[in-house]
Amino acid sequence: MADHKYAVQNTEGVRGTDINGNVVVLTKTHPEQLVLFQTFLSDEDDHGHGDEKYSNTIELYDAVPKYFSNPRLMDRMRKDGKYLPMLERLFKHRGEMYTVKIWPARLEDRQGGEKHYYPGPREELVEEALRKLACDHLNGVYLGDLAGVQFTLYELTKELKSRGHDIKYGSLIESLRICHRIDLSVYKGDGKIVLEAPIFPILLLGSKKDWLKAPKETRCYVQFHPLITQCISALTYRQFDYGAYMTYKHRLSRWLHKRLSHTYTQAGFLSPYAIRMSTIMRDSGTYHA
């Protein structure tokens, strides 16, 4: 990732606890690039809240086929009901071929054993809702020069429920941990690595006691994937209709919506968009579930 100078508006220290109970202290900043990321150029609706419909697509990162659609197939793939293999997927972005290797997240189950997970549609929805929260109410921040979002579990569940996805706290915590412990390695066609990082490199949740006792007040934080910071810095994101996106029940529908929003820049009656079924299967990861 290239170095970039940020125009910082304010700085302060933020102290939190990671999922292992370790104290983490990071420097909080709010660069002008993030302000632009949080600004939407759209017609307001009848209630004067048109920007509530919108969020941003992320260059390259959103093209990575990182989600696994079929939970039943995931169950069948688990060796001894626990262990999943590394997934390798090919995809094309801006005319260039890439490979992503997805290393499963390892979580402890209720019996104290180990169980592996790939990120699925639930994790996709949670990440998208967090990116929306980062655009709203100035929740988005930079900690340690990387983009992230401060939130409460109450705010996150409320946002998801308002979009038709009611995810309970236990499932939500599991989803956040999967995104934190998953590992994505992205390579160019020549084998040169682009980046290797979890979906959420840093996850600060506080203690279970705190967020069960006061879910509206206990602040949490996730750091987004470094490619999101790079996209914000380079201003290569595009606005899309998040409201419509979150109403779709199938992951492939959401994938097509976001792909069209990000790449179909020549949209018009005389400029149709053509895409092959083989391209959809390969780049969406649908063929691999």
Side-chain angles (χ1 to χ4, degrees):
M1 185 181 301
D3 292 335
H4 195 93
K5 300 297 183 181
Y6 300 108
V8 177
Q9 294 183 334
N10 56 72
T11 62
E12 60 181 272
V14 174
R15 185 184 182 91
T17 305
D18 65 17
I19 59 175
N20 297 314
N22 301 314
V23 175
V24 178
V25 180
L26 297 168
T27 300
K28 177 181 177 180
T29 63
H30 200 79
E32 290 182 354
Q33 288 88 343
L34 182 58
V35 176
L36 293 173
F37 184 76
Q38 296 169 324
T39 302
F40 298 102
L41 302 177
S42 60
D43 295 330
E44 292 188 343
D45 60 21
D46 294 337
H47 303 287
H49 299 289
D51 60 347
E52 291 183 358
K53 293 175 54 181
Y54 297 96
S55 188
N56 293 304
T57 64
I58 303 298
E59 180 73 13
L60 181 58
Y61 178 73
D62 279 345
V64 178
K66 50 191 172 290
Y67 303 113
F68 196 92
S69 300
N70 191 330
R72 292 182 180 178
L73 178 57
M74 192 188 307
D75 282 337
R76 293 198 298 270
M77 290 175 62
R78 287 192 178 100
K79 183 180 179 181
D80 299 327
K82 298 180 180 181
Y83 309 111
L84 288 169
M86 180 270 292
L87 288 182
E88 185 171 320
R89 294 175 169 180
L90 294 173
F91 67 101
K92 182 180 283 188
H93 178 66
R94 303 294 188 191
E96 186 170 356
M97 290 300 302
Y98 292 86
T99 298
V100 59
K101 294 183 178 180
I102 306 169
W103 300 90
R106 296 180 295 174
L107 270 64
E108 185 178 349
D109 61 25
R110 294 180 180 179
Q111 290 73 41
E114 182 178 312
K115 194 171 184 179
H116 289 191
Y117 297 84
Y118 299 129
R122 179 186 61 177
E123 285 67 51
E124 176 193 12
L125 293 168
V126 168
E127 182 185 12
E128 205 63 53
L130 283 171
R131 278 161 54 173
K132 178 57 177 171
L133 288 179
C135 294
D136 293 343
H137 313 302
L138 299 182
N139 283 328
V141 295
Y142 271 44
L143 293 183
D145 289 332
L146 290 169
V149 60
Q150 293 178 308
F151 63 100
T152 66
L153 294 179
Y154 174 79
E155 286 176 330
L156 182 53
T157 54
K158 182 180 178 181
E159 170 61 27
L160 286 163
K161 189 172 183 178
S162 72
R163 307 294 176 176
H165 307 284
D166 191 4
I167 302 177
K168 303 303 181 184
Y169 282 167
S171 183
L172 193 59
I173 293 297
E174 182 179 75
S175 182
L176 291 168
R177 285 177 168 160
I178 288 172
C179 289
H180 175 59
R181 293 180 178 176
I182 208 81
D183 191 70
L184 303 176
S185 300
V186 181
Y187 300 83
K188 290 187 176 181
D190 60 6
K192 183 178 179 181
I193 190 165
V194 176
L195 197 65
E196 188 175 68
I199 291 175
F200 298 149
I202 293 178
L203 170 61
L204 304 179
L205 283 176
S207 69
K208 182 177 181 179
K209 179 181 178 180
D210 289 338
W211 53 258
L212 281 177
K213 181 179 179 181
K216 292 185 180 182
E217 288 79 33
T218 302
R219 303 296 294 176
C220 304
Y221 170 78
V222 298
Q223 182 187 93
F224 293 131
H225 192 278
L227 285 176
I228 295 181
T229 300
Q230 185 180 55
C231 181
I232 293 173
S233 301
L235 306 180
T236 53
Y237 50 85
R238 286 186 61 82
Q239 180 175 302
F240 80 109
D241 191 334
Y242 163 85
Y245 172 93
M246 292 293 278
T247 64
Y248 301 137
K249 301 301 181 183
H250 301 287
R251 192 185 69 81
L252 184 57
S253 301
R254 293 193 293 270
W255 180 86
L256 284 166
H257 179 101
K258 189 173 281 189
R259 181 176 177 115
L260 287 169
S261 299
H262 195 84
T263 63
Y264 189 19
T265 56
Q266 77 280 15
F269 182 74
L270 298 179
S271 302
Y273 181 81
I275 186 170
R276 295 177 180 272
M277 178 62 73
S278 58
T279 300
I280 294 173
M281 298 290 282
R282 180 196 64 208
D283 291 355
S284 69
T286 301
Y287 179 76
H288 306 279

Short mmCIF file of all heavy atoms in Angstrom, two decimals, residues 51-82:
data_model
loop_
_atom_site.label_atom_id
_atom_site.label_comp_id
_atom_site.label_asym_id
_atom_site.label_seq_id
_atom_site.Cartn_x
_atom_site.Cartn_y
_atom_site.Cartn_z
N ASP A 51 -29.61 10.64 2.04
CA ASP A 51 -28.32 9.99 2.19
C ASP A 51 -28.39 8.71 3.00
O ASP A 51 -27.45 7.92 3.01
CB ASP A 51 -27.29 10.94 2.80
CG ASP A 51 -27.69 11.44 4.18
OD1 ASP A 51 -28.86 11.26 4.55
OD2 ASP A 51 -26.82 12.01 4.86
N GLU A 52 -29.50 8.45 3.69
CA GLU A 52 -29.65 7.21 4.45
C GLU A 52 -29.71 6.01 3.52
O GLU A 52 -29.48 4.88 3.95
CB GLU A 52 -30.91 7.26 5.32
CG GLU A 52 -30.82 8.24 6.48
CD GLU A 52 -32.05 8.21 7.36
OE1 GLU A 52 -32.98 7.44 7.04
OE2 GLU A 52 -32.09 8.96 8.34
N LYS A 53 -30.02 6.22 2.25
CA LYS A 53 -30.10 5.13 1.28
C LYS A 53 -28.74 4.71 0.77
O LYS A 53 -28.60 3.62 0.21
CB LYS A 53 -30.94 5.55 0.08
CG LYS A 53 -32.41 5.78 0.36
CD LYS A 53 -33.10 6.30 -0.89
CE LYS A 53 -32.87 5.41 -2.09
NZ LYS A 53 -33.54 5.93 -3.32
N TYR A 54 -27.72 5.54 0.93
CA TYR A 54 -26.48 5.36 0.19
C TYR A 54 -25.30 4.94 1.05
O TYR A 54 -25.19 5.27 2.23
CB TYR A 54 -26.15 6.64 -0.59
CG TYR A 54 -27.19 6.98 -1.61
CD1 TYR A 54 -28.21 7.88 -1.32
CD2 TYR A 54 -27.20 6.36 -2.85
CE1 TYR A 54 -29.20 8.17 -2.24
CE2 TYR A 54 -28.18 6.64 -3.79
CZ TYR A 54 -29.18 7.55 -3.48
OH TYR A 54 -30.16 7.82 -4.40
N SER A 55 -24.41 4.20 0.41
CA SER A 55 -23.12 3.86 0.98
C SER A 55 -22.13 3.85 -0.18
O SER A 55 -22.45 4.36 -1.27
CB SER A 55 -23.17 2.50 1.70
OG SER A 55 -21.97 2.26 2.41
N ASN A 56 -20.93 3.26 0.02
CA ASN A 56 -19.91 3.29 -1.02
C ASN A 56 -19.39 1.89 -1.34
O ASN A 56 -19.23 1.05 -0.45
CB ASN A 56 -18.72 4.15 -0.58
CG ASN A 56 -19.09 5.62 -0.47
OD1 ASN A 56 -19.58 6.22 -1.43
ND2 ASN A 56 -18.87 6.20 0.70
N THR A 57 -19.12 1.65 -2.62
CA THR A 57 -18.44 0.43 -3.04
C THR A 57 -16.93 0.69 -2.97
O THR A 57 -16.48 1.83 -3.10
CB THR A 57 -18.81 0.04 -4.47
OG1 THR A 57 -18.35 1.05 -5.38
CG2 THR A 57 -20.31 -0.13 -4.62
N ILE A 58 -16.16 -0.38 -2.78
CA ILE A 58 -14.72 -0.25 -2.58
C ILE A 58 -13.96 -0.91 -3.73
O ILE A 58 -14.17 -2.09 -4.03
CB ILE A 58 -14.30 -0.90 -1.25
CG1 ILE A 58 -15.07 -0.28 -0.08
CG2 ILE A 58 -12.79 -0.77 -1.03
CD1 ILE A 58 -14.83 1.20 0.13
N GLU A 59 -13.10 -0.15 -4.36
CA GLU A 59 -12.29 -0.63 -5.48
C GLU A 59 -11.46 -1.85 -5.06
O GLU A 59 -10.84 -1.86 -4.00
CB GLU A 59 -11.37 0.48 -5.97
CG GLU A 59 -10.46 0.11 -7.14
CD GLU A 59 -11.22 0.00 -8.47
OE1 GLU A 59 -12.38 0.42 -8.53
OE2 GLU A 59 -10.63 -0.52 -9.44
N LEU A 60 -11.45 -2.88 -5.89
CA LEU A 60 -10.75 -4.15 -5.75
C LEU A 60 -11.30 -4.99 -4.58
O LEU A 60 -11.69 -6.13 -4.78
CB LEU A 60 -9.23 -3.97 -5.59
CG LEU A 60 -8.44 -5.30 -5.46
CD1 LEU A 60 -8.68 -6.21 -6.65
CD2 LEU A 60 -6.95 -5.03 -5.29
N TYR A 61 -11.36 -4.44 -3.38
CA TYR A 61 -11.79 -5.23 -2.22
C TYR A 61 -13.17 -5.84 -2.42
O TYR A 61 -13.38 -7.01 -2.13
CB TYR A 61 -11.78 -4.36 -0.96
CG TYR A 61 -12.26 -5.08 0.27
CD1 TYR A 61 -11.46 -6.04 0.89
CD2 TYR A 61 -13.52 -4.83 0.81
CE1 TYR A 61 -11.89 -6.72 2.01
CE2 TYR A 61 -13.96 -5.50 1.94
CZ TYR A 61 -13.14 -6.44 2.54
OH TYR A 61 -13.59 -7.12 3.65
N ASP A 62 -14.12 -5.05 -2.94
CA ASP A 62 -15.48 -5.58 -3.15
C ASP A 62 -15.54 -6.56 -4.30
O ASP A 62 -16.54 -7.27 -4.45
CB ASP A 62 -16.46 -4.44 -3.37
CG ASP A 62 -16.91 -3.78 -2.07
OD1 ASP A 62 -16.68 -4.38 -1.00
OD2 ASP A 62 -17.47 -2.67 -2.11
N ALA A 63 -14.49 -6.60 -5.13
CA ALA A 63 -14.46 -7.56 -6.23
C ALA A 63 -13.93 -8.92 -5.77
O ALA A 63 -14.08 -9.92 -6.49
CB ALA A 63 -13.57 -7.04 -7.36
N VAL A 64 -13.34 -9.00 -4.58
CA VAL A 64 -12.79 -10.26 -4.08
C VAL A 64 -13.94 -11.19 -3.68
O VAL A 64 -14.76 -10.84 -2.83
CB VAL A 64 -11.88 -10.01 -2.86
CG1 VAL A 64 -11.34 -11.35 -2.32
CG2 VAL A 64 -10.72 -9.09 -3.23
N PRO A 65 -14.04 -12.40 -4.26
CA PRO A 65 -15.12 -13.34 -3.93
C PRO A 65 -14.84 -14.07 -2.61
O PRO A 65 -14.43 -15.22 -2.59
CB PRO A 65 -15.12 -14.30 -5.13
CG PRO A 65 -13.70 -14.29 -5.60
CD PRO A 65 -13.19 -12.90 -5.36
N LYS A 66 -15.07 -13.37 -1.52
CA LYS A 66 -14.64 -13.85 -0.20
C LYS A 66 -15.73 -14.52 0.62
O LYS A 66 -15.45 -15.05 1.71
CB LYS A 66 -14.05 -12.69 0.61
CG LYS A 66 -14.92 -11.44 0.66
CD LYS A 66 -14.14 -10.26 1.24
CE LYS A 66 -14.92 -8.95 1.13
NZ LYS A 66 -15.00 -8.51 -0.30
N TYR A 67 -16.98 -14.50 0.15
CA TYR A 67 -18.08 -15.05 0.94
C TYR A 67 -18.49 -16.44 0.44
O TYR A 67 -18.45 -16.71 -0.76
CB TYR A 67 -19.29 -14.12 0.91
CG TYR A 67 -18.98 -12.73 1.41
CD1 TYR A 67 -19.01 -11.63 0.55
CD2 TYR A 67 -18.62 -12.51 2.73
CE1 TYR A 67 -18.70 -10.35 1.00
CE2 TYR A 67 -18.31 -11.24 3.19
CZ TYR A 67 -18.36 -10.17 2.33
OH TYR A 67 -18.05 -8.91 2.77
N PHE A 68 -18.89 -17.28 1.37
CA PHE A 68 -19.30 -18.66 1.07
C PHE A 68 -20.81 -18.75 1.31
O PHE A 68 -21.29 -18.58 2.43
CB PHE A 68 -18.55 -19.62 1.99
CG PHE A 68 -18.58 -21.05 1.55
CD1 PHE A 68 -17.58 -21.57 0.75
CD2 PHE A 68 -19.61 -21.90 1.95
CE1 PHE A 68 -17.60 -22.90 0.35
CE2 PHE A 68 -19.65 -23.22 1.55
CZ PHE A 68 -18.64 -23.73 0.75
N SER A 69 -21.56 -19.05 0.26
CA SER A 69 -23.01 -18.88 0.30
C SER A 69 -23.78 -20.02 0.95
O SER A 69 -24.88 -19.81 1.44
CB SER A 69 -23.55 -18.68 -1.13
OG SER A 69 -22.98 -17.55 -1.73
N ASN A 70 -23.22 -21.22 0.94
CA ASN A 70 -24.00 -22.41 1.30
C ASN A 70 -23.56 -22.99 2.64
O ASN A 70 -22.56 -23.72 2.71
CB ASN A 70 -23.85 -23.46 0.19
CG ASN A 70 -24.83 -24.60 0.34
OD1 ASN A 70 -25.25 -24.95 1.43
ND2 ASN A 70 -25.21 -25.20 -0.79
N PRO A 71 -24.28 -22.72 3.73
CA PRO A 71 -23.87 -23.24 5.05
C PRO A 71 -23.94 -24.76 5.15
O PRO A 71 -23.15 -25.37 5.87
CB PRO A 71 -24.86 -22.57 6.01
CG PRO A 71 -26.03 -22.17 5.17
CD PRO A 71 -25.48 -21.86 3.83
N ARG A 72 -24.86 -25.40 4.42
CA ARG A 72 -24.95 -26.86 4.46
C ARG A 72 -23.72 -27.49 3.81
O ARG A 72 -23.19 -28.49 4.32
CB ARG A 72 -26.22 -27.32 3.75
CG ARG A 72 -27.51 -26.94 4.48
CD ARG A 72 -28.74 -27.48 3.76
NE ARG A 72 -29.97 -27.11 4.47
CZ ARG A 72 -31.18 -27.41 4.05
NH1 ARG A 72 -31.33 -28.10 2.91
NH2 ARG A 72 -32.25 -27.03 4.74
N LEU A 73 -23.27 -26.90 2.71
CA LEU A 73 -22.06 -27.40 2.07
C LEU A 73 -20.85 -27.18 2.98
O LEU A 73 -19.96 -28.03 3.06
CB LEU A 73 -21.85 -26.69 0.73
CG LEU A 73 -20.58 -27.07 -0.05
CD1 LEU A 73 -20.53 -28.57 -0.32
CD2 LEU A 73 -20.50 -26.29 -1.36
N MET A 74 -20.83 -26.04 3.68
CA MET A 74 -19.74 -25.79 4.62
C MET A 74 -19.69 -26.87 5.69
O MET A 74 -18.61 -27.36 6.05
CB MET A 74 -19.90 -24.40 5.27
CG MET A 74 -18.65 -23.94 6.02
SD MET A 74 -18.88 -22.41 7.00
CE MET A 74 -19.53 -21.28 5.76
N ASP A 75 -20.86 -27.25 6.20
CA ASP A 75 -20.93 -28.32 7.20
C ASP A 75 -20.37 -29.63 6.65
O ASP A 75 -19.63 -30.35 7.33
CB ASP A 75 -22.37 -28.52 7.67
CG ASP A 75 -22.82 -27.47 8.66
OD1 ASP A 75 -21.95 -26.86 9.32
OD2 ASP A 75 -24.04 -27.25 8.77
N ARG A 76 -20.74 -29.95 5.40
CA ARG A 76 -20.28 -31.21 4.80
C ARG A 76 -18.77 -31.20 4.55
O ARG A 76 -18.13 -32.25 4.56
CB ARG A 76 -21.02 -31.47 3.48
CG ARG A 76 -22.51 -31.76 3.66
CD ARG A 76 -23.08 -32.44 2.43
NE ARG A 76 -22.98 -31.62 1.24
CZ ARG A 76 -23.91 -30.76 0.83
NH1 ARG A 76 -25.03 -30.60 1.55
NH2 ARG A 76 -23.76 -30.06 -0.27
N MET A 77 -18.22 -30.02 4.33
CA MET A 77 -16.79 -29.91 4.05
C MET A 77 -15.92 -30.01 5.30
O MET A 77 -14.71 -30.25 5.20
CB MET A 77 -16.50 -28.57 3.35
CG MET A 77 -17.03 -28.47 1.94
SD MET A 77 -16.80 -26.81 1.22
CE MET A 77 -15.00 -26.66 1.24
N ARG A 78 -16.51 -29.85 6.48
CA ARG A 78 -15.73 -29.88 7.72
C ARG A 78 -15.23 -31.30 8.02
O ARG A 78 -16.02 -32.22 8.17
CB ARG A 78 -16.55 -29.37 8.90
CG ARG A 78 -16.77 -27.88 8.89
CD ARG A 78 -17.34 -27.41 10.24
NE ARG A 78 -17.50 -25.96 10.27
CZ ARG A 78 -18.66 -25.32 10.07
NH1 ARG A 78 -19.75 -26.04 9.81
NH2 ARG A 78 -18.71 -24.02 10.11
N LYS A 79 -13.94 -31.45 8.14
CA LYS A 79 -13.34 -32.71 8.51
C LYS A 79 -13.57 -32.95 10.00
O LYS A 79 -13.28 -32.07 10.82
CB LYS A 79 -11.85 -32.71 8.20
CG LYS A 79 -11.16 -34.03 8.50
CD LYS A 79 -9.69 -33.96 8.15
CE LYS A 79 -8.99 -35.28 8.47
NZ LYS A 79 -7.53 -35.21 8.16
N ASP A 80 -14.09 -34.10 10.34
CA ASP A 80 -14.41 -34.44 11.73
C ASP A 80 -15.39 -33.43 12.34
O ASP A 80 -15.42 -33.23 13.56
CB ASP A 80 -13.14 -34.48 12.59
CG ASP A 80 -12.15 -35.53 12.11
OD1 ASP A 80 -12.62 -36.57 11.60
OD2 ASP A 80 -10.94 -35.30 12.25
N GLY A 81 -16.17 -32.77 11.46
CA GLY A 81 -17.14 -31.80 11.94
C GLY A 81 -16.52 -30.52 12.45
O GLY A 81 -17.23 -29.68 13.04
N LYS A 82 -15.21 -30.31 12.22
CA LYS A 82 -14.51 -29.16 12.79
C LYS A 82 -13.68 -28.37 11.77
O LYS A 82 -13.80 -27.15 11.69
CB LYS A 82 -13.57 -29.62 13.91
CG LYS A 82 -14.24 -30.28 15.08
CD LYS A 82 -13.22 -30.69 16.14
CE LYS A 82 -13.90 -31.35 17.33
NZ LYS A 82 -12.90 -31.74 18.37
#
